[in-house]
Amino acid sequence: MLDNEAPPATNRNAYQEDIIRILVATDNHIGYLERDPIRGQDSINTFKEILQLAVKHDVDMILLGGDLFHENRPSRDCLYQVMALLREYTLGDKPVQLELLSDPDDGRAEGYSFPAVNYEDPNLNVAIPVFSIHGNHDDPQGAGSQGALCALDVLSVSGLINYMGKFDLPLSSASNPNPIESDSGISIRPVLLCKGQTRLGLYGVGNVKDARMHFELRSNRVRMYMPSDKEDWFNILVVHQNRVPHPPTPAVPEGLFDDCIDLVVWGHEHDCRIVPEPVAGRPYHITQPGSSVATSLGEGEGLEKHVALLQIHNKEFELKPLPLRTVRPFMLGDISLAEAAEEEGFDVSDQIAVQKFLRARVNALIDQANQLWDERNAHAVEEGEEELPRMLPLVRLKVDTTNVPAMSNPIRFGQEFTGRIANPRDVLSFHRSKARSAASRTATSADQPELSIDDPDLTTSEKLAKVRVQTLVQEYLAAQELQVLGEAGMNEAIRMFVEKDDGWAIQTHVSNALRALMKGVQENGEVDEEELDDVLVKLKEQHNQEYLEKARMGKTGKGKGKENASAPADSDADSMLMDVDGGEEDGSDFDEPVPPPKKKKAAPAKKAAPAKKGRGKKAVSSESEEVIELDEDDEDDAPPKITKKTNRAAILSQPAKKAPAKKTTTTTKGKASSSGQGTLSFAPSGRSSTRTAATRARGKMANVVEVDSD
């Protein structure tokens, strides 16, 4: 197949027992606007249609390209409906025609006996196996005894889907002068399947920060484990990255993947480009199914939504787009009010005339959307499908209000179309093409910094559409002239707190940053008060520069043990980073005030048992494959461990002269585990954040609180 040719339809006359049939979909975003009375069930209804298409076309498997859920923590109702649908349409008596040739325990849940691939489990009756990677919306987060988890992990251990593309990105110590040479980059192990004479290799890569993925690809640090006869296999790579730049987020180049790949299924981009496109100078094609539900009212969402029926025979494939009928029609219009006033002959200062004109344009878009629905419905009926009732359309009219003195309330305007469109509150979008002049810019202050959404030429709806938490935080922190905390690390910590619901992100970053500054000051010896401010500024700039350098290389995650104690920790160095609890600096969730010791000599406090930690576990590949070192993180998102504190209740119950002095104890790190294992496992959790109540209860019976080291 030449680079500039579309894949030919060569599977029509092939033997059916050799054809692998796959239904491909990406970006389902189940749970989007689930509380909206009109659009709340759109995503789940379309997902149900996708599963029904899989049953109708008798596919061998379903392949999902990430963002199955819209939220990192989907609601109970959302999980309930997804699990019910998967059980309804993917379990049954139909025999699975795909033979698993790779290790069924590769990716198995640590500590459990059931295999990673659900149809290999004798206790489950799977009819259509579902394989999926995670996206940027439902990526693994948190830290615990099982590492970072996401909703797909729940579906995986329940036997409803096969979760692939999840791996722990290696991180190197901050003290290592050559961190690039110390880790092995991204390692991808395939799921090897076979049907008749056709052999298929599935390579999944869950969402990684685009800067990190770009760095790994350009550095040739993405290792793909392939069979020795890889030329005889049809290899599919499933990714979930930016295909085009979305400032300030970069994109992943299309031409940096391995030449042994035959087809790349690209998730994350919502515009439907499902017909396979060749890549210049590369032997593979890229298909981009797009989202199955509109999560924004942009131009890309206006294209008709599809999923793909992929048929593979040996090294050739055929892809057939299948339109989704349960997706609301979306019409987008764009007008300039000043130009329209000249053409139509009305005054832009006359609000009644302007609203009359806009009302006519919106009505025209509604008529176009209804006509489009009727045409698609009639075409489906001709092909033997049942007729669906008309759905309320999505309509967005972008209005250029340049040189227009004032505009009416867009929400009040949209109320006139309640019952006719699905989005009456945001049917209008006002914007101005004229850039703000430099004369209108005022000096910024720390209390009221000049933010990008403070443009007076922007309307309220434009400001709401433009607002991004990360951008606002970055602009606000830049105007504060922070003296101790670095802007980059604080920005990332706030982003994790807001977007990923990580309640410890800010506290962890502040604690690590302060500890790093204190260590830096101590290394400088005795410092005069006059020189202290200069030393703090230098240390802050040094740590901020180190953080930015790590972020540039995609290594802003937590380091290893004490060597990285001086580096500010980033709770989301990578969306695929699996945090592992450490036992060295974790303790009670809350710092309690410590009573000052008396002048008398204090009795020695008990020493806590050393917290053992496992590091450097190995995952040994089958037969002759090489051994991969999988580093584990020693720090987590919990607050730093505090020293032991004497129980205050016991102190108060004793005479003052007998009160023991406070004495701190520290835990020591155990030796790294040297055991080699066939699957990725994690060290036991050393955090005691969930045992705060129990620790305080035990403190009533003892004078010294022991640190729980698990």
Side-chain angles (χ1 to χ4, degrees):
M1 192 182 304
L2 299 178
D3 295 343
N4 56 355
E5 293 182 356
T10 58
N11 295 327
R12 296 178 180 176
N13 299 324
Y15 294 104
Q16 292 298 319
E17 58 267 20
D18 294 336
I19 297 180
I20 299 179
R21 300 164 62 86
I22 306 174
L23 188 75
V24 183
T26 64
D27 296 273
N28 305 109
H29 287 275
I30 300 175
Y32 175 70
L33 291 182
E34 61 180 329
R35 296 185 179 182
D36 188 284
I38 300 176
R39 304 165 62 185
Q41 293 297 310
D42 285 2
S43 59
I44 197 68
N45 290 338
T46 304
F47 184 66
K48 179 180 179 180
E49 180 187 5
I50 293 173
L51 296 179
Q52 291 174 341
L53 288 174
V55 175
K56 174 184 176 182
H57 292 277
D58 193 24
V59 300
D60 296 303
M61 58 172 284
I62 299 174
L63 183 61
L64 303 179
D67 279 353
L68 175 62
F69 295 98
H70 184 71
E71 298 291 342
N72 189 267
R73 297 182 179 182
S75 64
R76 288 190 295 267
D77 180 71
C78 186
L79 271 176
Y80 169 81
Q81 294 191 70
V82 171
M83 297 177 74
L85 288 176
L86 289 173
R87 180 174 178 178
E88 177 74 16
Y89 291 100
T90 64
L91 302 185
D93 296 331
K94 172 191 170 184
V96 178
Q97 301 294 328
L98 298 175
E99 179 184 0
L100 181 65
L101 301 182
S102 55
D103 186 2
D105 291 334
D106 192 7
R108 174 173 59 89
E110 180 66 21
Y112 300 94
S113 60
F114 51 83
V117 179
N118 58 357
Y119 67 86
E120 292 291 322
D121 190 341
N123 299 316
L124 298 177
N125 208 10
V126 179
I128 305 177
V130 181
F131 292 85
S132 176
I133 64 172
H134 68 258
N136 60 307
H137 280 258
D138 52 6
D139 56 333
Q141 293 293 327
S145 60
Q146 300 298 324
L149 296 175
C150 64
L152 294 183
D153 287 292
V154 178
L155 299 180
S156 177
V157 297
S158 63
L160 296 175
I161 69 166
N162 302 298
Y163 182 17
M164 62 180 188
K166 175 181 179 180
F167 49 85
D168 198 1
L169 285 174
L171 295 174
S172 55
S173 174
S175 61
N176 192 335
N178 297 315
I180 298 179
E181 300 176 0
S182 62
D183 61 65
S184 56
I186 298 177
S187 299
I188 308 174
R189 293 184 177 273
V191 177
L192 302 178
L193 305 171
C194 175
K195 182 181 180 182
Q197 300 299 320
T198 302
R199 292 184 288 181
L200 172 65
L202 288 179
Y203 297 83
V205 185
N207 176 258
V208 185
K209 282 191 175 181
D210 294 285
R212 174 67 181 264
M213 176 61 78
H214 192 183
F215 168 77
E216 299 290 349
L217 289 171
R218 290 182 61 88
S219 303
N220 197 24
R221 288 156 40 87
V222 178
R223 297 190 301 168
M224 303 182 66
Y225 289 84
M226 293 186 170
S228 57
D229 54 345
K230 56 185 178 182
E231 293 80 8
D232 299 331
W233 292 72
F234 188 88
N235 299 311
I236 298 179
L237 175 63
V238 188
V239 298
H240 192 95
Q241 306 291 153
N242 276 340
R243 190 176 178 184
V244 295
H246 300 282
T249 308
V252 175
E254 300 176 350
L256 295 182
F257 300 114
D258 196 283
D259 287 341
C260 294
I261 297 298
D262 298 287
L263 180 65
V264 177
V265 177
W266 204 298
H268 185 62
E269 299 289 353
H270 283 204
D271 48 328
C272 183
R273 297 165 57 183
I274 201 166
V275 177
E277 303 172 359
V279 180
R282 294 295 186 180
Y284 51 82
H285 289 71
I286 296 178
T287 177
Q288 180 179 302
S291 65
S292 59
V293 62
T295 59
S296 65
L297 299 179
E299 185 176 356
E301 299 281 12
L303 303 176
E304 186 178 7
K305 304 292 186 182
H306 293 82
V307 293
L309 177 60
L310 176 63
Q311 301 183 80
I312 303 171
H313 180 252
N314 293 331
K315 290 286 290 184
E316 297 174 340
F317 72 96
E318 178 182 359
L319 191 144
K320 177 183 178 182
L322 302 177
L324 295 173
R325 302 184 58 203
T326 56
V327 179
R328 296 182 184 274
F330 174 41
M331 283 295 165
L332 179 65
D334 193 353
I335 61 171
S336 173
L337 200 56
E339 296 178 359
E342 295 180 359
E343 297 176 358
E344 301 291 335
F346 63 87
D347 187 4
V348 294
S349 60
D350 187 353
Q351 293 294 324
I352 297 179
V354 170
Q355 290 192 18
K356 181 179 179 181
F357 170 76
L358 295 178
R359 191 179 299 111
R361 287 301 182 98
V362 172
N363 285 326
L365 292 176
I366 295 176
D367 294 339
Q368 295 177 22
N370 292 333
Q371 182 180 358
L372 178 62
W373 175 271
D374 294 338
E375 292 175 355
R376 293 176 178 175
N377 219 357
H379 180 70
V381 171
E382 292 178 358
E383 295 184 352
E385 302 287 343
E386 63 175 325
E387 184 177 0
L388 297 180
R390 180 184 293 177
M391 300 180 67
L392 296 180
L394 296 172
V395 175
R396 164 60 66 87
L397 181 61
K398 300 174 65 176
V399 183
D400 186 352
T401 59
T402 304
N403 299 326
V404 177
M407 291 299 302
S408 60
N409 191 330
I411 298 179
R412 183 178 303 171
F413 175 86
Q415 291 177 352
E416 301 180 18
F417 302 94
T418 301
R420 298 184 59 199
I421 60 177
N423 60 318
R425 293 181 60 87
D426 52 4
V427 61
L428 293 182
S429 175
F430 297 142
H431 65 93
R432 294 178 182 269
S433 60
K434 183 181 66 174
R436 183 172 57 166
S437 61
S440 63
R441 300 179 183 270
T442 58
T444 61
S445 64
D447 295 333
Q448 295 181 345
E450 181 182 2
L451 305 179
S452 58
I453 64 170
D454 291 337
D455 191 337
D457 294 333
L458 294 178
T459 62
T460 303
S461 59
E462 288 179 285
K463 293 180 179 180
L464 293 177
K466 186 178 181 180
V467 64
R468 296 292 183 273
V469 173
Q470 188 173 2
T471 304
L472 292 180
V473 171
Q474 184 176 3
E475 294 174 349
Y476 187 85
L477 292 178
Q480 303 305 308
E481 297 182 358
L482 301 180
Q483 297 181 353
V484 177
L485 301 176
E487 292 85 359
M490 196 64 189
N491 182 23
E492 182 65 16
I494 295 177
R495 187 189 72 83
M496 287 296 298
F497 178 83
V498 174
E499 296 184 3
K500 302 299 183 182
D501 197 19
D502 186 353
W504 295 111
I506 298 177
Q507 181 177 346
T508 302
H509 170 71
V510 172
S511 300
N512 291 337
L514 293 178
R515 185 168 58 250
L517 286 175
M518 292 174 62
K519 182 178 179 181
V521 172
Q522 292 175 358
E523 292 177 352
N524 287 306
E526 296 185 1
V527 180
D528 297 336
E529 294 184 2
E530 298 178 355
E531 301 177 356
L532 183 59
D533 292 340
D534 296 335
V535 173
L536 290 177
V537 171
K538 292 180 181 179
L539 289 175
K540 174 212 154 184
E541 293 177 352
Q542 177 184 351
H543 294 158
N544 199 43
Q545 189 64 29
E546 292 176 356
Y547 185 92
L548 293 175
E549 184 65 19
K550 292 178 185 178
R552 185 184 64 82
M553 299 192 311
K555 300 180 180 295
T556 56
K558 305 164 187 66
K560 298 287 185 280
K562 296 181 179 179
E563 294 179 351
N564 199 31
S566 61
D570 181 9
S571 59
D572 188 28
D574 204 304
S575 61
M576 289 183 60
L577 177 62
M578 299 182 188
D579 298 335
V580 180
D581 289 336
E584 184 180 12
E585 297 177 357
D586 292 338
S588 174
D589 286 348
F590 303 95
D591 291 336
E592 298 180 358
V594 182
K598 299 297 181 179
K599 295 183 179 180
K600 283 192 174 184
K601 185 176 180 181
K606 296 181 181 179
K607 293 185 177 180
K612 297 182 179 180
K613 302 180 66 178
R615 295 180 55 194
K617 294 187 179 180
K618 299 179 181 179
V620 183
S621 58
S622 60
E623 298 183 359
S624 60
E625 291 183 349
E626 58 182 313
V627 176
I628 309 174
E629 285 288 337
L630 298 175
D631 296 334
E632 295 183 357
D633 302 323
D634 292 337
E635 296 182 14
D636 59 2
D637 292 326
K641 177 169 292 185
I642 60 174
T643 56
K644 293 190 299 181
K645 299 175 175 60
T646 305
N647 188 285
R648 292 181 294 175
I651 294 176
L652 295 176
S653 64
Q654 297 177 359
K657 62 180 181 179
K658 297 182 180 180
K662 181 62 59 181
K663 194 167 185 178
T664 60
T665 61
T666 56
T667 59
T668 58
K669 183 183 299 184
K671 295 182 179 180
S673 173
S674 59
S675 60
Q677 299 183 6
T679 56
L680 177 62
S681 62
F682 301 92
S685 172
R687 63 189 294 181
S688 59
S689 60
T690 59
R691 300 183 176 88
T692 304
T695 302
R696 293 178 177 175
R698 289 197 301 270
K700 297 179 180 180
M701 298 181 292
N703 291 338
V704 179
V705 180
E706 296 291 342
V707 177
D708 183 10
S709 61
D710 283 356

